[in-house]
Each structure stands twice: as C-alpha cells, then as structure tokens.
Amino acid sequence: MRFDEFNIDDRILRAVEDMGFEEPTPIQIQSIPVVCNGDDMVGQAQTGTGKTASYAIPMLMKVNPQIKKPQAIVLCPTRELAVQVADEIRKLAKYMSDIKVLPVYGGQEIVRQIKSLKTGVQIIVGTPGRVMDHMRRKTVKFDSISTVVLDEADEMLDMGFRDDIETILTDTPDDRQTVMFSATMPKEIMEIAGKYQKNAKVIKVVRKELTVENIQQYYYEVRPKNKTEVLCRLIDIYNPRLSVVFCNTKRQVDELISELKGRGYFADGIHGDMKQQQRDRVMDDFRSGKIDILIATDVAARGIDVSDVDMVFNYDLPQDEEYYVHRIGRTGRAGRDGMALSFISGREVYKLKEIERYCKTKILAKPVPSLDDVKSTKLDNIFEKVRNTINEGGLSDMLNLVEEHVNEEDYTSMDMAAALLKMIIGDTLEKEDEVEDIHFDMENDDRHMVRLFINVGKKDKIKPSNILGAIAGESGMPGKLVGSIDMMDNYTFVDVPAIHAERVLRAMNDNVQIKGRKVSVEKANSAKGGKAKKGRKRGSGK
C-alpha cells in the first residue's frame, strides 16, 4: 500500500515524500482511515512503529488554518517526546505554512510559550503538567479543540498524570475526537477509554518479538570503577562506526563525555538538562559522523532516530525492562546487524534475568577483554588494512622512497616496517590493571530507600499524583520506582531508591514548580527528621 491511497492532502503527500517514507507502516495502514473518519480510537503499538504520522496526518487535514486558535492537542509524557512529536508534525505540515505547531513543556520559560500562543497556534504538543499550568493561567482556551491525542498513554499514567489527563479531557468540548496510543493496555487505559471516548475503535499492532533477531546481546560483569576502561577496550576491539552509550543519570553522561574525550575519542552526549539547540547540534554531529560515540539518558534518547548505529552499550543497566527494549532497538535497524553490550555488577545479574524473561531472549556472558586482546585486535586490523593496500597496488612510488632511505641508512626494510608499526600502535604491552567482578553492596541496592522532604502539602491543593509526576518528569526516573508519598498540610515526605536520590534532588531543585508553587527538596533527616516509614500506602496522606 502507498500513502496516496489514503486520499490525503497533496501538500502532506509532498512532505511525506520529502521525509523519505515510501510506504505506510502497519499501524498507519490501520489507524489513518479510522482517525480520518473522525472516530475515537485506542491504538496499541510500540515506540518506533510510526504512530506519530498515524494521528498527525488526519489531524492536519482537519485543522482550519483560518481559525487562529488551538484546534488539536497532543499530550506526551516527557519534554523530549513533545519536542520530537512537534518536529515531526511540522515536517508533515511543511507545505502548509499557515498552520502553526507549538510544543509546551516544563523547563522552558513559560512567558515565551505565552507569547507564541498569542500569535495564533492551531496545534499544541505538550506535557500534561505544563498544559495544566497554561489552563490555570488562562493562557490557552480549549473551546475550539476538535482533536485530543494521548501519545504513550501508559507512560503518562505510570508517571502519575492521570488526574491532569482527566482534567484536560473534561475541559475540552464533548464533541471532540479522542485518540490514544499506548504500548501496553493496562486497566487504567481502558477505564479512561470507556469514560472519555465514544464507541472507540481498538487497533492492535504488537510486535511478536520484543527484540530484533539480528541484534547480538551480551553482558560483562564489571566493577563500577572499571566501566570506563572496559568500555574503551570494547570500542577499540569492535571499532563501531557509530555507537550509543546509555547511562541512567545526567551526571554520569557528563562525566563519561569528559572521560572519553580525555582519552581521545570523538564522543558527545545528550540529557534532559541540555537546551534543545544544544541537543540538536550534538545529534547533527552524530548523524554526520563528526562524533561516533553518543552518550545519552533514556529520556533524552527518545528522539534518537539514526538508522546505521552499529552498537549499543548499556553502561548502566536500565531499571525498567521496556527501556532495555527501546535502547537496543537503536541498533540493528533497516535489516542491518547490530550488537548490544551491557555492563552489570553484583546483584544486577538478577535484574538481567528479569530483562531476559521480559524480552524472551538470551543475553550471553562474555569475559572482559584484556589489554593483550585489544592489542591483538588492533594488530589484526592494521595487517588487514596492509593486505588490502598491497592488493590495491599503486605502491611503486612508496617502494622507491623506502629503498632510497634503506640504502642511505644502516637498517633494513623490515626495521622500517617495525618502526612504522610501533608508531601506529605504541610501545610494548603495558601492565594490565585487573578488572574483576564485584560483590553486592547494600548501599547500592535498588530496594534501599531514602526519604525526601518537599516544602508543599495538602494546603497547596497538591495531590500525590502531582508529586509523582513532577519527580518522574523532571528526573527521568520511572514513576513506579517512587515509594510511599506521605502528604501533610504544609509539607510532604517521599521515598525514592537510594541510588536515585541525588539525581532527584538535583532535578527537583532546578526551579521546578508544582501547580505554580516553587518547590524545595532535601533529605528528610536534614529537614523535618525521621526515617522512612515502611508499609505506608502511596498517597495515603496519613
């Protein structure tokens, strides 16, 4: 099937051709006619299946450019995805210059967004929290909204945005079209569908295999302090043209960028604290080959779409099994072979087993390569290049130069070849630092929780879901890792995994607001005191 068989606007067809799409994906084939027909829809599809165009194409055909008001709104779980979706809609509207698309999300100056809204925007793409903020400020009105899309609805629910989503849906006209896309279909999704949709069509395009067969998957047991050394050895051995390295924290991304650049690698990275312009520059450098190693967090990596990535490294093992699927899916695209290598330590081996069960695949162990292995691989590669150069011919001028210098000096052509080889690979084998396994350390256990104090409470008309959504949205940590949330009148206690505590503290103290109130977060024992109480139900308020 071709896109022109959908009977869509010629201007959109031209844009689709410019984007290089030759034929629609399975989810597009099934959903575009349904959405074009004006029906409500629930679509089940994984990330990377082309679902954005599934709703964006019908949405653009429905928008009236003469009406300078919001007519469609797309809700996304993260700022990164909101920017990515807005960019793709703009590309599809390339030849529809009178249609304006605006992403709205936390972390960007709201005054700038307000100014843009006043110029007349027809399509808003935003995170639920920031859209709610505009609603409270009355800087956006929904009286002309005809389409509402919930993109990655299950992820938004996991992040605690259900109340915000329901408020937004309630505030939009009853005759609107409501479209939901979700990778999974939990009970909450179907509850929202039953409450806010009318005779919704359910479309499922689920991949039979979560992981691609042409991706080789291996793991290495590595001490945390030796991860960088092992990463460098693997890059030297496999020599990937393009590779992506995933870390769990923004701080780790910054540290690894510095370490790899210091070792002479062409590396750079992206994470949620970076400005969009900066992330775009890094991605352009990666696509063009100016850098060949991209380091990223899961949230920032949502927008990575590069077809010829040879290798993915899980420098940190992801907390969520589905993140592992998203990560390794960055390689092995378009029928190419790919490789995914993961670093684990201590009890992370149990987490790896959970990932294997979820993916229905086997991740094989590999020994950490020694310096001798690295040097042997370098030698093999060099001699392979030498053989290819000899076979290509055209060496007569070089032979004359070698003979000339050999005749003038007291050494042989073998001496010259050995000297040139030493210049390329360095001196004799260095003494190798041992890289061993580590034993489990209680302080790094995911189950060890730290209690945080937040300076907002029930009197601020804030709910546990708002707290959960802010923590997950700002830090990038999966919302389901948050423990109990105990709300008092003027403050709140929240339990988070110890290994994520510093990450949450940095993210939440970076001018974050919840319902217009600037928040301050610190460890509970340095604020109101008290250890984390066990057995409390999330959001109990007791």
Coordinates of all heavy atoms in Angstrom, one line a residue, residues 281-360:
R281 N 22.4 20.2 18.0 CA 23.8 20.2 17.5 C 24.5 18.9 17.7 O 25.2 18.4 16.7 CB 24.5 21.3 18.2 CG 26.0 21.4 17.8 CD 26.8 22.4 18.7 NE 26.8 21.9 20.0 CZ 27.6 20.9 20.5 NH1 28.3 20.2 19.7 NH2 27.6 20.6 21.8
V282 N 24.4 18.3 18.9 CA 25.0 17.0 19.1 C 24.5 15.9 18.2 O 25.3 15.1 17.6 CB 24.8 16.6 20.6 CG1 25.3 15.2 20.8 CG2 25.5 17.5 21.5
M283 N 23.1 15.9 18.0 CA 22.6 14.9 17.1 C 23.0 15.1 15.6 O 23.2 14.1 14.9 CB 21.0 14.9 17.2 CG 20.5 14.3 18.5 SD 21.0 12.7 18.8 CE 20.5 11.8 17.3
D284 N 23.1 16.4 15.2 CA 23.6 16.6 13.8 C 25.0 16.1 13.7 O 25.4 15.6 12.6 CB 23.5 18.1 13.5 CG 22.1 18.6 13.3 OD1 21.2 17.8 13.1 OD2 21.8 19.8 13.4
D285 N 25.9 16.4 14.7 CA 27.2 15.9 14.7 C 27.3 14.4 14.6 O 28.2 13.8 13.9 CB 28.0 16.4 15.9 CG 28.3 17.9 15.8 OD1 28.2 18.5 14.7 OD2 28.7 18.5 16.9
F286 N 26.4 13.7 15.3 CA 26.4 12.3 15.4 C 25.9 11.7 14.0 O 26.5 10.8 13.5 CB 25.4 11.8 16.5 CG 25.4 10.3 16.7 CD1 26.6 9.6 17.0 CD2 24.2 9.6 16.6 CE1 26.6 8.2 17.2 CE2 24.2 8.2 16.8 CZ 25.4 7.5 17.1
R287 N 24.9 12.3 13.4 CA 24.4 11.8 12.1 C 25.4 12.0 11.0 O 25.6 11.2 10.1 CB 23.1 12.5 11.8 CG 21.9 12.1 12.6 CD 20.6 12.7 12.1 NE 19.5 12.4 12.9 CZ 19.0 13.2 13.8 NH1 19.6 14.4 14.0 NH2 18.0 12.9 14.6
S288 N 26.2 13.1 11.1 CA 27.2 13.4 10.1 C 28.5 12.7 10.3 O 29.4 12.8 9.4 CB 27.4 14.9 10.0 OG 28.0 15.4 11.2
G289 N 28.7 12.1 11.5 CA 29.9 11.4 11.7 C 31.0 12.2 12.4 O 32.1 11.7 12.5
K290 N 30.7 13.5 12.7 CA 31.7 14.3 13.4 C 32.1 13.7 14.8 O 33.2 13.8 15.3 CB 31.2 15.7 13.6 CG 31.2 16.5 12.3 CD 30.7 17.9 12.5 CE 30.6 18.7 11.2 NZ 30.2 20.1 11.4
I291 N 31.0 13.1 15.4 CA 31.3 12.3 16.6 C 30.8 10.9 16.3 O 29.8 10.7 15.5 CB 30.6 12.8 17.9 CG1 29.1 12.9 17.7 CG2 31.1 14.2 18.2 CD1 28.3 13.2 18.9
D292 N 31.4 9.8 16.8 CA 31.0 8.5 16.6 C 30.5 7.8 17.8 O 30.1 6.6 17.7 CB 32.1 7.7 15.9 CG 33.4 7.8 16.5 OD1 33.5 8.0 17.8 OD2 34.5 7.7 15.8
I293 N 30.6 8.4 19.0 CA 30.0 7.8 20.2 C 29.1 8.8 20.8 O 29.4 9.9 21.2 CB 31.2 7.5 21.2 CG1 32.2 6.6 20.6 CG2 30.6 6.9 22.5 CD1 33.5 6.5 21.4
L294 N 27.8 8.5 20.9 CA 26.8 9.3 21.5 C 26.4 8.7 22.9 O 26.0 7.6 23.0 CB 25.5 9.4 20.6 CG 24.4 10.2 21.2 CD1 24.7 11.7 21.2 CD2 23.1 9.9 20.4
I295 N 26.5 9.6 23.9 CA 26.2 9.1 25.3 C 24.9 9.8 25.7 O 24.7 11.0 25.5 CB 27.3 9.5 26.3 CG1 28.7 9.0 25.7 CG2 27.1 9.0 27.7 CD1 29.8 9.7 26.4
A296 N 23.9 9.0 26.2 CA 22.6 9.6 26.5 C 21.9 8.9 27.6 O 22.2 7.8 28.0 CB 21.7 9.4 25.2
T297 N 20.9 9.7 28.2 CA 20.0 9.1 29.2 C 18.8 8.6 28.4 O 18.6 8.9 27.3 CB 19.5 10.2 30.2 OG1 19.0 11.3 29.5 CG2 20.7 10.6 31.1
D298 N 17.9 7.8 29.1 CA 16.7 7.2 28.4 C 15.8 8.3 27.9 O 15.3 8.2 26.8 CB 16.0 6.3 29.4 CG 16.8 5.0 29.6 OD1 17.0 4.2 28.6 OD2 17.2 4.7 30.7
V299 N 15.5 9.3 28.8 CA 14.6 10.3 28.4 C 15.0 11.1 27.2 O 14.3 11.4 26.3 CB 14.3 11.3 29.6 CG1 13.4 12.5 29.2 CG2 13.6 10.5 30.7
A300 N 16.3 11.5 27.2 CA 16.8 12.3 26.1 C 16.9 11.5 24.8 O 16.8 12.1 23.7 CB 18.2 12.9 26.5
A301 N 17.1 10.2 25.0 CA 17.3 9.3 23.8 C 16.0 9.1 23.0 O 16.0 8.4 22.0 CB 17.9 8.0 24.2
R302 N 14.8 9.5 23.6 CA 13.5 9.3 22.9 C 13.6 9.8 21.4 O 12.9 9.2 20.6 CB 12.4 10.0 23.6 CG 12.1 9.4 25.0 CD 11.0 8.4 24.9 NE 10.7 7.8 26.1 CZ 9.6 7.1 26.4 NH1 8.8 6.9 25.4 NH2 9.4 6.6 27.6
G303 N 14.3 10.9 21.2 CA 14.3 11.4 19.8 C 15.4 10.9 18.9 O 15.6 11.4 17.8
I304 N 16.2 9.9 19.4 CA 17.3 9.4 18.5 C 16.7 8.5 17.5 O 16.0 7.5 17.7 CB 18.3 8.6 19.4 CG1 19.0 9.5 20.4 CG2 19.4 7.9 18.5 CD1 19.9 8.7 21.4
D305 N 16.9 8.9 16.2 CA 16.5 8.0 15.1 C 17.5 8.0 14.0 O 17.5 8.7 13.0 CB 15.1 8.6 14.6 CG 14.5 7.7 13.5 OD1 15.0 6.5 13.4 OD2 13.6 8.1 12.8
V306 N 18.6 7.2 14.2 CA 19.7 7.1 13.3 C 19.8 5.7 12.9 O 19.9 4.8 13.7 CB 21.0 7.5 14.0 CG1 22.2 7.4 13.0 CG2 20.9 9.0 14.5
S307 N 19.7 5.4 11.6 CA 19.5 4.1 11.1 C 20.7 3.2 11.1 O 20.6 2.0 11.1 CB 19.0 4.1 9.6 OG 19.9 4.8 8.8
D308 N 21.9 3.8 11.1 CA 23.2 3.0 10.9 C 24.0 2.9 12.2 O 25.2 3.0 12.1 CB 24.0 3.4 9.7 CG 24.2 5.0 9.7 OD1 23.6 5.6 10.6 OD2 24.9 5.4 8.8
V309 N 23.4 2.8 13.4 CA 24.1 2.6 14.6 C 24.5 1.2 14.7 O 23.7 0.2 14.6 CB 23.2 3.0 15.8 CG1 23.9 2.6 17.1 CG2 22.9 4.5 15.8
D310 N 25.8 0.9 14.8 CA 26.4 -0.4 14.8 C 26.2 -1.1 16.2 O 26.1 -2.3 16.3 CB 27.9 -0.4 14.5 CG 28.1 0.1 13.1 OD1 27.2 -0.2 12.2 OD2 29.1 0.7 12.8
M311 N 26.3 -0.3 17.3 CA 26.4 -0.9 18.6 C 25.8 -0.1 19.7 O 25.9 1.2 19.6 CB 27.9 -1.2 18.9 CG 28.2 -2.0 20.1 SD 29.9 -2.4 20.2 CE 30.1 -3.6 18.9
V312 N 25.1 -0.7 20.6 CA 24.6 0.0 21.8 C 25.2 -0.6 23.1 O 25.4 -1.8 23.2 CB 23.0 -0.2 21.9 CG1 22.5 0.2 23.3 CG2 22.3 0.6 20.8
F313 N 25.7 0.3 23.9 CA 26.3 -0.1 25.2 C 25.3 0.3 26.3 O 24.9 1.5 26.4 CB 27.6 0.6 25.4 CG 28.7 0.2 24.5 CD1 29.0 0.9 23.3 CD2 29.5 -0.9 24.8 CE1 30.0 0.5 22.5 CE2 30.5 -1.3 23.9 CZ 30.7 -0.6 22.7
N314 N 25.0 -0.6 27.2 CA 24.3 -0.3 28.4 C 25.3 -0.1 29.5 O 25.6 -1.0 30.3 CB 23.3 -1.4 28.8 CG 22.1 -1.4 27.9 OD1 21.4 -0.4 27.6 ND2 21.9 -2.6 27.3
Y315 N 25.8 1.1 29.6 CA 26.9 1.5 30.6 C 26.3 1.2 32.0 O 26.9 0.7 32.9 CB 27.3 2.9 30.4 CG 28.5 3.3 31.2 CD1 29.8 3.1 30.7 CD2 28.4 3.9 32.5 CE1 30.9 3.5 31.4 CE2 29.5 4.3 33.2 CZ 30.8 4.1 32.6 OH 31.9 4.5 33.4
D316 N 25.0 1.7 32.2 CA 24.2 1.4 33.4 C 23.1 0.5 32.9 O 22.4 0.8 31.9 CB 23.7 2.6 34.0 CG 24.8 3.6 34.5 OD1 25.8 3.1 35.0 OD2 24.7 4.8 34.3
L317 N 22.7 -0.6 33.6 CA 21.6 -1.4 33.3 C 20.3 -0.6 33.6 O 20.2 -0.1 34.7 CB 21.6 -2.7 34.1 CG 20.9 -3.9 33.5 CD1 21.5 -4.3 32.2 CD2 20.9 -5.0 34.5
P318 N 19.4 -0.5 32.7 CA 18.1 0.2 32.9 C 17.3 -0.4 34.0 O 17.3 -1.6 34.2 CB 17.4 0.2 31.6 CG 17.9 -1.1 30.9 CD 19.3 -1.2 31.3
Q319 N 16.6 0.5 34.8 CA 15.7 0.0 35.8 C 14.4 -0.7 35.3 O 13.9 -1.6 35.9 CB 15.3 1.1 36.7 CG 16.5 1.8 37.4 CD 17.2 0.9 38.4 OE1 16.6 0.0 39.0 NE2 18.5 1.0 38.4
D320 N 14.0 -0.3 34.1 CA 12.8 -0.8 33.5 C 13.1 -1.7 32.3 O 13.9 -1.3 31.5 CB 11.9 0.4 33.1 CG 10.5 0.0 32.7 OD1 10.3 -0.8 31.8 OD2 9.5 0.5 33.4
E321 N 12.5 -2.9 32.3 CA 12.8 -3.8 31.2 C 12.4 -3.2 29.9 O 13.1 -3.5 28.9 CB 12.0 -5.1 31.4 CG 12.4 -5.9 32.6 CD 11.5 -5.5 33.9 OE1 10.9 -4.5 33.8 OE2 11.6 -6.3 34.9
E322 N 11.4 -2.4 29.8 CA 11.0 -1.8 28.5 C 12.0 -0.8 28.0 O 12.2 -0.7 26.8 CB 9.6 -1.2 28.6 CG 9.0 -0.8 27.2 CD 7.5 -0.5 27.3 OE1 6.9 -0.8 28.3 OE2 7.0 0.1 26.4
Y323 N 12.7 -0.1 28.9 CA 13.8 0.8 28.5 C 14.9 0.0 27.8 O 15.5 0.5 26.8 CB 14.3 1.5 29.7 CG 13.5 2.7 30.2 CD1 13.7 3.3 31.4 CD2 12.4 3.1 29.4 CE1 12.9 4.3 31.9 CE2 11.6 4.2 29.9 CZ 11.9 4.8 31.1 OH 11.1 5.8 31.5
Y324 N 15.1 -1.2 28.2 CA 16.1 -2.1 27.6 C 15.8 -2.3 26.1 O 16.6 -2.2 25.2 CB 16.3 -3.4 28.3 CG 17.3 -4.3 27.7 CD1 18.7 -4.2 28.0 CD2 16.9 -5.3 26.8 CE1 19.6 -5.1 27.4 CE2 17.8 -6.2 26.2 CZ 19.2 -6.0 26.5 OH 20.1 -6.9 25.9
V325 N 14.5 -2.6 25.9 CA 14.0 -2.8 24.5 C 14.2 -1.6 23.7 O 14.6 -1.7 22.6 CB 12.5 -3.2 24.6 CG1 12.0 -3.4 23.1 CG2 12.3 -4.5 25.4
H326 N 13.8 -0.4 24.2 CA 14.0 0.8 23.5 C 15.4 1.1 23.2 O 15.8 1.5 22.1 CB 13.4 2.0 24.3 CG 11.9 2.0 24.5 ND1 11.1 1.5 23.5 CD2 11.2 2.4 25.5 CE1 9.8 1.6 24.0 NE2 9.9 2.1 25.2
R327 N 16.3 0.8 24.2 CA 17.7 1.1 24.0 C 18.3 0.3 22.8 O 18.9 0.8 21.9 CB 18.5 0.8 25.3 CG 18.3 1.8 26.4 CD 19.1 1.4 27.6 NE 19.0 2.3 28.7 CZ 19.8 2.3 29.8 NH1 20.7 1.4 29.9 NH2 19.6 3.2 30.7
I328 N 18.2 -1.1 22.9 CA 18.8 -1.9 21.9 C 18.2 -1.8 20.6 O 18.8 -2.1 19.5 CB 18.9 -3.4 22.4 CG1 17.5 -4.0 22.3 CG2 19.5 -3.5 23.7 CD1 17.6 -5.5 22.5
G329 N 16.9 -1.2 20.5 CA 16.3 -1.0 19.3 C 16.9 0.1 18.4 O 16.5 0.3 17.3
R330 N 17.9 0.8 19.0 CA 18.6 1.9 18.3 C 19.6 1.3 17.3 O 20.1 2.0 16.4 CB 19.3 2.8 19.3 CG 18.5 3.4 20.4 CD 17.4 4.3 19.8 NE 16.4 4.7 20.9 CZ 15.3 5.3 20.6 NH1 15.0 5.7 19.4 NH2 14.5 5.6 21.6
T331 N 19.9 0.0 17.5 CA 20.8 -0.6 16.5 C 20.1 -1.7 15.8 O 18.9 -2.1 16.1 CB 22.1 -1.2 17.2 OG1 23.0 -1.7 16.2 CG2 21.7 -2.4 18.2
G332 N 20.7 -2.3 14.8 CA 20.0 -3.4 14.0 C 18.8 -3.0 13.2 O 17.9 -3.7 13.0
R333 N 18.8 -1.7 12.8 CA 17.7 -1.2 12.0 C 17.8 -1.4 10.5 O 18.9 -1.6 10.0 CB 17.5 0.3 12.3 CG 17.1 0.6 13.7 CD 16.6 2.1 13.9 NE 16.0 2.3 15.2 CZ 15.3 3.4 15.5 NH1 15.2 4.3 14.6 NH2 14.8 3.5 16.7
A334 N 16.7 -1.3 9.9 CA 16.7 -1.5 8.4 C 17.4 -2.7 7.9 O 18.1 -2.7 6.9 CB 17.3 -0.2 7.8
G335 N 17.2 -3.8 8.6 CA 17.7 -5.1 8.2 C 19.2 -5.3 8.5 O 19.8 -6.3 8.2
R336 N 19.9 -4.3 9.1 CA 21.3 -4.4 9.4 C 21.5 -5.3 10.7 O 20.6 -5.4 11.5 CB 21.9 -3.0 9.6 CG 21.9 -2.2 8.4 CD 22.6 -0.8 8.7 NE 22.7 0.0 7.5 CZ 21.8 0.9 7.2 NH1 20.7 1.0 7.9 NH2 22.0 1.6 6.1
D337 N 22.7 -5.8 10.8 CA 23.1 -6.5 12.0 C 23.5 -5.4 13.1 O 24.0 -4.4 12.8 CB 24.3 -7.4 11.8 CG 23.9 -8.6 10.9 OD1 22.7 -9.0 11.0 OD2 24.8 -9.1 10.2
G338 N 23.2 -5.8 14.3 CA 23.6 -4.9 15.4 C 24.1 -5.7 16.6 O 24.0 -6.9 16.7
M339 N 24.6 -4.9 17.6 CA 25.1 -5.6 18.8 C 24.8 -4.7 20.0 O 24.9 -3.5 20.0 CB 26.6 -5.8 18.7 CG 27.2 -6.6 19.9 SD 29.0 -7.0 19.7 CE 28.9 -8.2 18.4
A340 N 24.4 -5.4 21.1 CA 24.1 -4.7 22.4 C 24.9 -5.3 23.5 O 24.8 -6.5 23.7 CB 22.6 -4.8 22.7
L341 N 25.7 -4.5 24.2 CA 26.6 -5.0 25.2 C 26.2 -4.3 26.5 O 26.1 -3.0 26.6 CB 28.1 -4.7 24.9 CG 28.5 -5.2 23.5 CD1 30.0 -4.8 23.3 CD2 28.3 -6.7 23.4
S342 N 26.0 -5.0 27.6 CA 25.6 -4.5 28.9 C 26.6 -4.7 30.0 O 27.2 -5.8 30.0 CB 24.2 -5.1 29.3 OG 23.2 -4.9 28.3
F343 N 26.8 -3.7 30.8 CA 27.7 -3.9 32.0 C 26.8 -4.2 33.2 O 25.8 -3.4 33.5 CB 28.5 -2.6 32.2 CG 29.4 -2.3 31.1 CD1 30.0 -1.0 31.0 CD2 29.8 -3.2 30.2 CE1 30.9 -0.7 30.0 CE2 30.7 -3.0 29.1 CZ 31.2 -1.7 29.0
I344 N 27.2 -5.2 34.0 CA 26.4 -5.5 35.3 C 27.4 -5.7 36.4 O 28.6 -6.0 36.2 CB 25.5 -6.7 35.1 CG1 26.3 -8.0 35.0 CG2 24.6 -6.5 33.9 CD1 25.5 -9.2 35.2
S345 N 27.0 -5.5 37.6 CA 27.8 -5.8 38.8 C 26.9 -6.3 39.9 O 25.7 -5.9 40.0 CB 28.5 -4.5 39.2 OG 27.6 -3.5 39.5
G346 N 27.5 -7.2 40.7 CA 26.7 -7.7 41.9 C 25.4 -8.3 41.5 O 25.2 -9.1 40.6
R347 N 24.4 -7.9 42.3 CA 23.1 -8.4 42.2 C 22.3 -7.9 40.9 O 21.2 -8.3 40.7 CB 22.2 -8.1 43.4 CG 22.7 -8.9 44.6 CD 21.6 -8.9 45.7 NE 22.0 -9.7 46.8 CZ 21.2 -10.0 47.8 NH1 20.0 -9.4 47.9 NH2 21.6 -10.8 48.8
E348 N 22.9 -7.1 40.1 CA 22.3 -6.7 38.9 C 22.1 -7.9 37.9 O 21.3 -7.8 37.0 CB 23.1 -5.6 38.2 CG 23.0 -4.3 38.8 CD 23.8 -3.2 38.0 OE1 24.7 -3.5 37.3 OE2 23.4 -2.0 38.1
V349 N 22.8 -9.0 38.2 CA 22.6 -10.2 37.4 C 21.1 -10.7 37.5 O 20.6 -11.2 36.5 CB 23.5 -11.3 37.9 CG1 23.2 -11.9 39.2 CG2 23.5 -12.5 36.8
Y350 N 20.4 -10.4 38.7 CA 19.0 -10.8 38.8 C 18.2 -9.9 37.9 O 17.2 -10.3 37.4 CB 18.6 -10.7 40.3 CG 19.4 -11.7 41.2 CD1 20.2 -11.2 42.2 CD2 19.3 -13.1 41.0 CE1 20.9 -12.1 43.0 CE2 20.0 -13.9 41.8 CZ 20.8 -13.4 42.8 OH 21.6 -14.3 43.6
K351 N 18.5 -8.6 37.9 CA 17.8 -7.7 37.0 C 17.9 -8.1 35.5 O 17.0 -8.0 34.8 CB 18.3 -6.3 37.2 CG 17.6 -5.2 36.4 CD 16.2 -5.1 36.9 CE 15.4 -4.1 36.1 NZ 14.0 -4.0 36.5
L352 N 19.1 -8.6 35.2 CA 19.4 -9.1 33.8 C 18.5 -10.3 33.5 O 17.9 -10.4 32.4 CB 20.8 -9.5 33.7 CG 21.3 -9.7 32.2 CD1 21.5 -8.3 31.5 CD2 22.6 -10.4 32.2
K353 N 18.3 -11.1 34.5 CA 17.4 -12.3 34.3 C 15.9 -11.8 34.0 O 15.2 -12.4 33.2 CB 17.4 -13.2 35.5 CG 18.8 -13.8 35.7 CD 19.3 -14.7 34.5 CE 20.7 -15.2 34.8 NZ 21.2 -15.9 33.5
E354 N 15.5 -10.8 34.7 CA 14.2 -10.2 34.5 C 14.0 -9.7 33.1 O 13.0 -9.8 32.5 CB 13.9 -9.1 35.5 CG 13.7 -9.6 37.0 CD 13.5 -8.4 37.9 OE1 13.3 -7.3 37.4 OE2 13.6 -8.6 39.2
I355 N 15.1 -9.0 32.6 CA 15.1 -8.5 31.3 C 15.0 -9.6 30.3 O 14.2 -9.6 29.3 CB 16.3 -7.6 31.0 CG1 16.3 -6.3 31.8 CG2 16.5 -7.3 29.5 CD1 17.5 -5.5 31.8
E356 N 15.7 -10.7 30.5 CA 15.7 -11.9 29.6 C 14.3 -12.5 29.5 O 13.8 -12.8 28.5 CB 16.6 -12.9 30.1 CG 18.1 -12.6 29.8 CD 19.0 -13.7 30.2 OE1 18.8 -14.4 31.3 OE2 20.0 -14.0 29.5
R357 N 13.6 -12.6 30.7 CA 12.2 -13.1 30.7 C 11.3 -12.2 30.0 O 10.4 -12.7 29.2 CB 11.8 -13.3 32.2 CG 12.4 -14.5 32.9 CD 11.7 -14.9 34.2 NE 11.9 -13.8 35.2 CZ 12.9 -13.8 36.0 NH1 13.8 -14.8 36.0 NH2 13.0 -12.9 36.9
Y358 N 11.4 -10.9 30.2 CA 10.5 -9.9 29.6 C 10.7 -9.9 28.0 O 9.7 -9.9 27.3 CB 10.8 -8.5 30.1 CG 10.0 -7.4 29.5 CD1 8.7 -7.2 29.8 CD2 10.6 -6.6 28.5 CE1 7.9 -6.2 29.3 CE2 9.8 -5.6 27.9 CZ 8.5 -5.4 28.3 OH 7.8 -4.4 27.7
C359 N 12.0 -10.0 27.6 CA 12.3 -10.0 26.2 C 12.2 -11.3 25.5 O 12.2 -11.4 24.3 CB 13.7 -9.4 25.9 SG 13.9 -7.7 26.5
K360 N 12.0 -12.4 26.3 CA 12.0 -13.7 25.8 C 13.2 -14.0 24.9 O 13.2 -14.5 23.8 CB 10.7 -14.0 25.0 CG 9.5 -13.9 25.9 CD 8.2 -14.1 25.0 CE 7.0 -13.9 25.9 NZ 5.7 -14.0 25.1

